[in-house]
Amino acid sequence: MNRWKSAALIIFCVLFVGVNLYLLLKEDSKAARVAYVEDWLRVKQDDITEKFDTKGVLKPLEEFSVYVDGDKQPIESFHVKKGDQVSPGTPLFTYSAEKLEDEKKGLEEEKTKLQGEIAAVQDHIRKLKSYQNSISVPTSKVDEEKEYTAEKISESQIEQEIYKQELAEDRLEKEAVKIDAQIAYLNQKINNLTVTSKVEGTVTELNQDLQSPVIKIASSDLGVEGLLTEVQRKKAEEGMRVVLYSPLYKKKLEGSIRTLHTYPANEPHVEKETVYPFTASLNEPDSELLAGAKLDVTVIVNEAKNVPVIPNRTLFKEDKKYYVYRLSDSGWLEKQRVNKGLTFAGKQEIQKGLKKKDLVAKDPMDVKVENVPVITPLHTSKIQMKELKGLSKKQTLQYVLMGMLER
């Protein structure tokens, strides 16, 4: 029995060596054109997000300044203090009415004087008209003839005087109307001496010494303020999506870049890093977060979702075109041209040329030939011994011969 086993083993070894020598030495032998690829990677359907990180602080999105009207000084009283919450219509301060009241009093005195002058002119006109009527009534024919010439002269003068007085009355009445309009305007200003807030927010500054601005109001809408490096500033654009995270509150928020400054935050210096301010608005406010909260800011520069993705290292370039080595369905190694998409953090989007679950060579530098069958190493760690033990001697010999003689 032992002799039979020894003979079988010797025959097997001779057959194995002989067949392989034949395959190697045969003209146009396929054995000489088999590619050996050790590692393969499968194309995944994944997301690629190009982004960068910075820091930010939560601050009021806008600040509104209230200035003193030079024509209304001084301020009589303030109705708010620093830290007060205000809304549209909330009284902030009231100007003193003393100056306006004095001006109004002067106009009223001027109007009274005008009214006296108008009354005097009207009385004079009445007297002239009365006298005019009296000389127009004849007493007798003799008197009429005697006084004809004198009467004509007198009537003409009276008519001229009446006309002159009526012009004066009209002028004085127009002046009175003008003064009435000025008094009405002053009354309106006196009734509007209280300045109210036009926005909702918090009083952050109040200058009772009347320095401008006299009041500053920070809006209730909070946003993010931060700094970008030169490289980050070049990539950033207004409207880009940002993801915000508060380490203290363990919360994640989303927003977008609102403004990007073109001038550095600090005075440019050759030995100092140049940084540029930016602001971002929140998509939805969060009442728990307070102004001054520190945030981690992630700016999303670009993203591709649910696309074929491979590692960058699997690509190689020839004549300004990009390729990978792909394993075909028939087991052959093919050089496959691909169109690149978004690249970030070692991941490459493939827009054309590959699909999900395709196999590509992990390292294209290890591939020496193409358009040939592929062999890969036997990973013994993946062989299940219980499955091998279940094979009969006939099946074992069959699979060994298939492995030697295939192709």
Side-chain angles (χ1 to χ4, degrees):
M1 187 68 179
N2 289 334
R3 292 177 61 187
W4 182 88
K5 287 184 178 180
S6 298
L9 180 60
I10 292 171
I11 293 171
F12 170 78
C13 291
V14 171
L15 285 172
F16 180 82
V17 173
V19 169
N20 279 278
L21 285 173
Y22 171 77
L23 291 174
L24 288 172
L25 297 176
K26 180 185 176 184
E27 186 177 356
D28 297 328
S29 171
K30 294 181 180 180
R33 294 185 287 111
V34 172
Y36 174 79
V37 180
E38 183 172 354
D39 293 313
W40 297 91
L41 293 175
R42 197 173 292 279
V43 178
K44 297 180 180 179
Q45 203 76 9
D46 202 356
D47 300 338
I48 298 181
T49 303
E50 182 182 357
K51 59 188 179 180
F52 63 79
D53 298 321
T54 184
K55 299 288 184 180
V57 61
L58 210 57
K59 295 184 70 175
L61 203 57
E62 294 181 288
E63 190 174 60
F64 303 91
S65 298
V66 182
Y67 295 89
V68 173
D69 187 342
D71 296 333
K72 294 182 180 179
Q73 288 191 52
I75 292 177
E76 186 176 79
S77 60
F78 286 91
H79 306 300
V80 294
K81 60 183 183 297
K82 187 175 180 179
D84 283 355
Q85 300 289 319
V86 297
S87 57
T90 300
L92 301 177
F93 59 86
T94 301
Y95 291 106
S96 171
E98 184 178 355
K99 183 179 178 181
L100 294 176
E101 291 289 357
D102 289 342
E103 190 176 345
K104 178 183 173 183
K105 184 178 179 182
L107 289 172
E108 288 174 341
E109 289 175 354
E110 188 177 346
K111 181 182 176 183
T112 301
K113 182 181 176 182
L114 277 173
Q115 287 174 336
E117 291 178 3
I118 292 171
V121 170
Q122 290 173 340
D123 185 60
H124 187 46
I125 291 172
R126 282 194 299 272
K127 289 179 180 180
L128 286 172
K129 287 183 177 180
S130 177
Y131 178 69
Q132 184 185 39
N133 292 333
S134 67
I135 65 173
S136 298
V137 178
T139 56
S140 66
K141 191 174 182 180
V142 176
D143 292 338
E144 184 178 351
E145 290 176 353
K146 288 181 178 179
E147 296 179 0
Y148 177 76
T149 304
E151 186 180 320
K152 281 289 185 183
I153 296 172
S154 179
E155 274 193 49
S156 176
Q157 291 175 342
I158 290 172
E159 287 177 356
Q160 289 179 3
E161 185 62 23
I162 289 173
Y163 179 71
K164 180 180 178 181
Q165 292 301 316
E166 286 176 342
L167 288 177
E169 180 188 13
D170 184 64
R171 177 180 57 79
L172 292 171
E173 285 180 344
K174 286 181 179 178
E175 288 185 19
V177 170
K178 188 176 180 181
I179 290 176
D180 281 339
Q182 291 176 321
I183 292 174
Y185 176 67
L186 286 177
N187 283 332
Q188 186 180 4
K189 291 180 74 174
I190 290 171
N191 293 331
N192 289 282
L193 289 176
T194 297
V195 177
T196 59
S197 175
K198 293 180 173 60
V199 297
E200 183 176 348
T202 305
V203 177
T204 58
E205 190 174 326
L206 192 149
N207 295 315
Q208 296 194 13
D209 55 1
L210 304 185
Q211 290 184 358
S212 291
V214 67
I215 288 179
K216 285 186 178 180
I217 301 173
S219 68
S220 298
D221 295 329
L222 298 179
V224 180
E225 188 174 292
L227 299 172
L228 301 175
T229 65
E230 288 183 83
V231 175
Q232 291 172 342
R233 177 62 183 85
K234 183 179 179 181
K235 293 180 179 179
E237 293 179 6
E238 292 182 1
M240 279 185 174
R241 187 165 68 92
V242 295
V243 178
L244 314 164
Y245 179 72
S246 169
L248 178 62
Y249 293 96
K250 309 297 183 185
K251 283 191 172 184
K252 185 176 287 187
L253 304 171
E254 289 201 5
S256 59
I257 294 179
R258 189 167 182 263
T259 59
L260 288 168
H261 290 242
T262 57
Y263 196 81
N266 45 20
E267 193 64 28
H269 193 280
V270 68
E271 295 181 358
K272 294 181 180 179
E273 183 181 21
T274 303
V275 290
Y276 298 86
F278 78 94
T279 62
S281 56
L282 303 178
N283 291 347
E284 294 182 4
D286 191 310
S287 58
E288 189 176 1
L289 294 177
L290 303 176
K294 303 296 190 298
L295 298 171
D296 296 329
V297 181
T298 299
V299 179
I300 309 301
V301 178
N302 203 350
E303 55 187 339
K305 291 185 173 293
N306 196 31
V307 295
V309 174
I310 59 174
N312 279 341
R313 64 179 183 273
T314 61
L315 289 163
F316 64 96
K317 188 176 181 181
E318 289 182 1
D319 298 327
K320 299 181 180 180
K321 298 175 183 177
Y322 289 91
Y323 299 87
V324 295
Y325 285 117
R326 184 178 76 91
L327 181 64
S328 71
D329 295 337
S330 58
W332 284 60
L333 185 68
E334 298 177 344
K335 185 170 77 171
Q336 177 68 48
R337 183 183 171 184
V338 295
N339 291 347
K340 292 174 55 179
L342 182 62
T343 302
F344 188 73
K347 296 167 69 177
Q348 175 64 60
E349 174 196 2
I350 300 300
Q351 296 179 333
K352 185 178 180 182
L354 292 175
K355 62 182 183 298
K356 182 181 178 181
K357 294 186 178 180
D358 279 352
L359 284 172
V360 296
K362 180 178 180 180
D363 190 352
M365 300 300 293
D366 290 343
V367 178
K368 307 303 180 183
V369 291
E370 58 191 60
N371 295 324
V372 294
V374 178
I375 59 173
T376 58
L378 176 66
H379 297 287
T380 56
S381 60
K382 297 182 180 180
I383 297 176
Q384 301 294 325
M385 293 305 297
K386 62 180 181 180
E387 295 178 0
L388 293 179
K389 289 179 180 180
L391 296 175
S392 64
K393 292 181 180 179
K394 184 177 179 181
Q395 288 176 320
T396 303
L397 180 60
Q398 179 183 357
Y399 290 137
V400 169
L401 292 174
M402 285 174 61
M404 291 189 300
L405 299 175
E406 191 178 47
R407 298 178 182 247

PDB file of all heavy atoms in Angstrom, residues 225-228 233 259-265 275-279:
ATOM      1  N   GLU A 225     -19.039  84.487  13.098  1.00  0.00           N
ATOM      2  CA  GLU A 225     -17.936  85.316  12.618  1.00  0.00           C
ATOM      3  C   GLU A 225     -16.639  84.565  12.855  1.00  0.00           C
ATOM      4  O   GLU A 225     -16.438  83.961  13.906  1.00  0.00           O
ATOM      5  CB  GLU A 225     -17.919  86.651  13.370  1.00  0.00           C
ATOM      6  CG  GLU A 225     -16.937  87.660  12.818  1.00  0.00           C
ATOM      7  CD  GLU A 225     -17.059  89.007  13.509  1.00  0.00           C
ATOM      8  OE1 GLU A 225     -18.084  89.674  13.324  1.00  0.00           O
ATOM      9  OE2 GLU A 225     -16.120  89.378  14.255  1.00  0.00           O
ATOM     10  N   GLY A 226     -15.768  84.566  11.845  1.00  0.00           N
ATOM     11  CA  GLY A 226     -14.506  83.842  11.972  1.00  0.00           C
ATOM     12  C   GLY A 226     -13.463  84.373  11.015  1.00  0.00           C
ATOM     13  O   GLY A 226     -13.647  85.408  10.367  1.00  0.00           O
ATOM     14  N   LEU A 227     -12.343  83.641  10.925  1.00  0.00           N
ATOM     15  CA  LEU A 227     -11.220  84.048  10.090  1.00  0.00           C
ATOM     16  C   LEU A 227     -10.812  82.909   9.161  1.00  0.00           C
ATOM     17  O   LEU A 227     -10.903  81.731   9.527  1.00  0.00           O
ATOM     18  CB  LEU A 227     -10.027  84.455  10.970  1.00  0.00           C
ATOM     19  CG  LEU A 227     -10.247  85.632  11.917  1.00  0.00           C
ATOM     20  CD1 LEU A 227      -9.051  85.792  12.846  1.00  0.00           C
ATOM     21  CD2 LEU A 227     -10.500  86.919  11.150  1.00  0.00           C
ATOM     22  N   LEU A 228     -10.360  83.274   7.957  1.00  0.00           N
ATOM     23  CA  LEU A 228      -9.889  82.311   6.976  1.00  0.00           C
ATOM     24  C   LEU A 228      -8.441  82.598   6.603  1.00  0.00           C
ATOM     25  O   LEU A 228      -8.048  83.766   6.501  1.00  0.00           O
ATOM     26  CB  LEU A 228     -10.741  82.374   5.702  1.00  0.00           C
ATOM     27  CG  LEU A 228     -12.241  82.120   5.847  1.00  0.00           C
ATOM     28  CD1 LEU A 228     -12.935  82.351   4.507  1.00  0.00           C
ATOM     29  CD2 LEU A 228     -12.513  80.721   6.355  1.00  0.00           C
ATOM     30  N   ARG A 233      -9.394  81.333   2.029  1.00  0.00           N
ATOM     31  CA  ARG A 233     -10.110  82.474   1.427  1.00  0.00           C
ATOM     32  C   ARG A 233     -10.225  82.309  -0.090  1.00  0.00           C
ATOM     33  O   ARG A 233     -11.242  82.680  -0.700  1.00  0.00           O
ATOM     34  CB  ARG A 233      -9.384  83.788   1.764  1.00  0.00           C
ATOM     35  CG  ARG A 233     -10.005  85.039   1.123  1.00  0.00           C
ATOM     36  CD  ARG A 233     -11.411  85.250   1.609  1.00  0.00           C
ATOM     37  NE  ARG A 233     -12.029  86.385   0.955  1.00  0.00           N
ATOM     38  CZ  ARG A 233     -12.638  86.338  -0.217  1.00  0.00           C
ATOM     39  NH1 ARG A 233     -12.706  85.185  -0.875  1.00  0.00           N
ATOM     40  NH2 ARG A 233     -13.205  87.419  -0.726  1.00  0.00           N
ATOM     41  N   THR A 259     -20.917  86.740   4.163  1.00  0.00           N
ATOM     42  CA  THR A 259     -20.012  87.761   3.620  1.00  0.00           C
ATOM     43  C   THR A 259     -18.571  87.268   3.697  1.00  0.00           C
ATOM     44  O   THR A 259     -18.202  86.532   4.613  1.00  0.00           O
ATOM     45  CB  THR A 259     -20.110  89.092   4.401  1.00  0.00           C
ATOM     46  OG1 THR A 259     -19.789  88.863   5.782  1.00  0.00           O
ATOM     47  CG2 THR A 259     -21.505  89.686   4.296  1.00  0.00           C
ATOM     48  N   LEU A 260     -17.771  87.689   2.726  1.00  0.00           N
ATOM     49  CA  LEU A 260     -16.339  87.399   2.690  1.00  0.00           C
ATOM     50  C   LEU A 260     -15.594  88.716   2.489  1.00  0.00           C
ATOM     51  O   LEU A 260     -15.875  89.451   1.531  1.00  0.00           O
ATOM     52  CB  LEU A 260     -16.009  86.446   1.537  1.00  0.00           C
ATOM     53  CG  LEU A 260     -16.445  84.989   1.692  1.00  0.00           C
ATOM     54  CD1 LEU A 260     -16.321  84.265   0.363  1.00  0.00           C
ATOM     55  CD2 LEU A 260     -15.625  84.283   2.753  1.00  0.00           C
ATOM     56  N   HIS A 261     -14.673  89.013   3.392  1.00  0.00           N
ATOM     57  CA  HIS A 261     -13.925  90.262   3.287  1.00  0.00           C
ATOM     58  C   HIS A 261     -12.743  90.083   2.331  1.00  0.00           C
ATOM     59  O   HIS A 261     -12.110  89.027   2.283  1.00  0.00           O
ATOM     60  CB  HIS A 261     -13.423  90.695   4.664  1.00  0.00           C
ATOM     61  CG  HIS A 261     -14.522  91.157   5.568  1.00  0.00           C
ATOM     62  ND1 HIS A 261     -14.598  92.435   6.068  1.00  0.00           N
ATOM     63  CD2 HIS A 261     -15.610  90.513   6.054  1.00  0.00           C
ATOM     64  CE1 HIS A 261     -15.668  92.557   6.819  1.00  0.00           C
ATOM     65  NE2 HIS A 261     -16.302  91.401   6.829  1.00  0.00           N
ATOM     66  N   THR A 262     -12.465  91.130   1.594  1.00  0.00           N
ATOM     67  CA  THR A 262     -11.326  91.101   0.668  1.00  0.00           C
ATOM     68  C   THR A 262     -10.080  91.720   1.280  1.00  0.00           C
ATOM     69  O   THR A 262      -8.990  91.561   0.726  1.00  0.00           O
ATOM     70  CB  THR A 262     -11.676  91.854  -0.625  1.00  0.00           C
ATOM     71  OG1 THR A 262     -12.064  93.212  -0.296  1.00  0.00           O
ATOM     72  CG2 THR A 262     -12.836  91.180  -1.350  1.00  0.00           C
ATOM     73  N   TYR A 263     -10.243  92.397   2.426  1.00  0.00           N
ATOM     74  CA  TYR A 263      -9.077  92.998   3.091  1.00  0.00           C
ATOM     75  C   TYR A 263      -8.793  92.239   4.385  1.00  0.00           C
ATOM     76  O   TYR A 263      -9.722  91.836   5.091  1.00  0.00           O
ATOM     77  CB  TYR A 263      -9.326  94.476   3.382  1.00  0.00           C
ATOM     78  CG  TYR A 263      -8.053  95.227   3.708  1.00  0.00           C
ATOM     79  CD1 TYR A 263      -7.211  95.664   2.686  1.00  0.00           C
ATOM     80  CD2 TYR A 263      -7.680  95.480   5.031  1.00  0.00           C
ATOM     81  CE1 TYR A 263      -6.038  96.342   2.972  1.00  0.00           C
ATOM     82  CE2 TYR A 263      -6.508  96.146   5.319  1.00  0.00           C
ATOM     83  CZ  TYR A 263      -5.685  96.586   4.294  1.00  0.00           C
ATOM     84  OH  TYR A 263      -4.520  97.240   4.572  1.00  0.00           O
ATOM     85  N   PRO A 264      -7.514  92.023   4.717  1.00  0.00           N
ATOM     86  CA  PRO A 264      -7.175  91.229   5.900  1.00  0.00           C
ATOM     87  C   PRO A 264      -7.723  91.831   7.195  1.00  0.00           C
ATOM     88  O   PRO A 264      -7.956  93.046   7.293  1.00  0.00           O
ATOM     89  CB  PRO A 264      -5.641  91.229   5.908  1.00  0.00           C
ATOM     90  CG  PRO A 264      -5.249  91.562   4.509  1.00  0.00           C
ATOM     91  CD  PRO A 264      -6.314  92.450   3.970  1.00  0.00           C
ATOM     92  N   ALA A 265      -7.898  90.953   8.187  1.00  0.00           N
ATOM     93  CA  ALA A 265      -8.380  91.400   9.492  1.00  0.00           C
ATOM     94  C   ALA A 265      -7.319  92.202  10.234  1.00  0.00           C
ATOM     95  O   ALA A 265      -7.642  93.093  11.018  1.00  0.00           O
ATOM     96  CB  ALA A 265      -8.802  90.189  10.326  1.00  0.00           C
ATOM     97  N   VAL A 275      -4.967  86.731   7.529  1.00  0.00           N
ATOM     98  CA  VAL A 275      -6.283  86.100   7.690  1.00  0.00           C
ATOM     99  C   VAL A 275      -7.362  87.095   7.276  1.00  0.00           C
ATOM    100  O   VAL A 275      -7.187  88.308   7.393  1.00  0.00           O
ATOM    101  CB  VAL A 275      -6.519  85.633   9.143  1.00  0.00           C
ATOM    102  CG1 VAL A 275      -5.631  84.455   9.480  1.00  0.00           C
ATOM    103  CG2 VAL A 275      -6.288  86.768  10.131  1.00  0.00           C
ATOM    104  N   TYR A 276      -8.481  86.533   6.802  1.00  0.00           N
ATOM    105  CA  TYR A 276      -9.569  87.355   6.283  1.00  0.00           C
ATOM    106  C   TYR A 276     -10.863  87.045   7.042  1.00  0.00           C
ATOM    107  O   TYR A 276     -11.216  85.878   7.221  1.00  0.00           O
ATOM    108  CB  TYR A 276      -9.782  87.078   4.799  1.00  0.00           C
ATOM    109  CG  TYR A 276      -8.593  87.422   3.942  1.00  0.00           C
ATOM    110  CD1 TYR A 276      -7.550  86.504   3.749  1.00  0.00           C
ATOM    111  CD2 TYR A 276      -8.494  88.660   3.325  1.00  0.00           C
ATOM    112  CE1 TYR A 276      -6.446  86.820   2.965  1.00  0.00           C
ATOM    113  CE2 TYR A 276      -7.398  88.983   2.528  1.00  0.00           C
ATOM    114  CZ  TYR A 276      -6.382  88.061   2.355  1.00  0.00           C
ATOM    115  OH  TYR A 276      -5.293  88.377   1.589  1.00  0.00           O
ATOM    116  N   PRO A 277     -11.590  88.078   7.476  1.00  0.00           N
ATOM    117  CA  PRO A 277     -12.855  87.843   8.195  1.00  0.00           C
ATOM    118  C   PRO A 277     -13.941  87.309   7.268  1.00  0.00           C
ATOM    119  O   PRO A 277     -13.967  87.597   6.075  1.00  0.00           O
ATOM    120  CB  PRO A 277     -13.235  89.240   8.716  1.00  0.00           C
ATOM    121  CG  PRO A 277     -12.005  90.070   8.584  1.00  0.00           C
ATOM    122  CD  PRO A 277     -11.234  89.512   7.434  1.00  0.00           C
ATOM    123  N   PHE A 278     -14.835  86.519   7.855  1.00  0.00           N
ATOM    124  CA  PHE A 278     -16.025  86.058   7.147  1.00  0.00           C
ATOM    125  C   PHE A 278     -17.175  85.965   8.134  1.00  0.00           C
ATOM    126  O   PHE A 278     -16.970  85.896   9.352  1.00  0.00           O
ATOM    127  CB  PHE A 278     -15.794  84.691   6.493  1.00  0.00           C
ATOM    128  CG  PHE A 278     -15.868  83.526   7.459  1.00  0.00           C
ATOM    129  CD1 PHE A 278     -17.051  82.822   7.644  1.00  0.00           C
ATOM    130  CD2 PHE A 278     -14.741  83.146   8.187  1.00  0.00           C
ATOM    131  CE1 PHE A 278     -17.112  81.761   8.526  1.00  0.00           C
ATOM    132  CE2 PHE A 278     -14.799  82.094   9.079  1.00  0.00           C
ATOM    133  CZ  PHE A 278     -15.994  81.400   9.250  1.00  0.00           C
ATOM    134  N   THR A 279     -18.388  86.008   7.620  1.00  0.00           N
ATOM    135  CA  THR A 279     -19.567  85.783   8.446  1.00  0.00           C
ATOM    136  C   THR A 279     -20.438  84.728   7.777  1.00  0.00           C
ATOM    137  O   THR A 279     -20.430  84.572   6.557  1.00  0.00           O
ATOM    138  CB  THR A 279     -20.402  87.064   8.639  1.00  0.00           C
ATOM    139  OG1 THR A 279     -20.884  87.509   7.362  1.00  0.00           O
ATOM    140  CG2 THR A 279     -19.568  88.161   9.284  1.00  0.00           C
TER     141      THR A 279
END
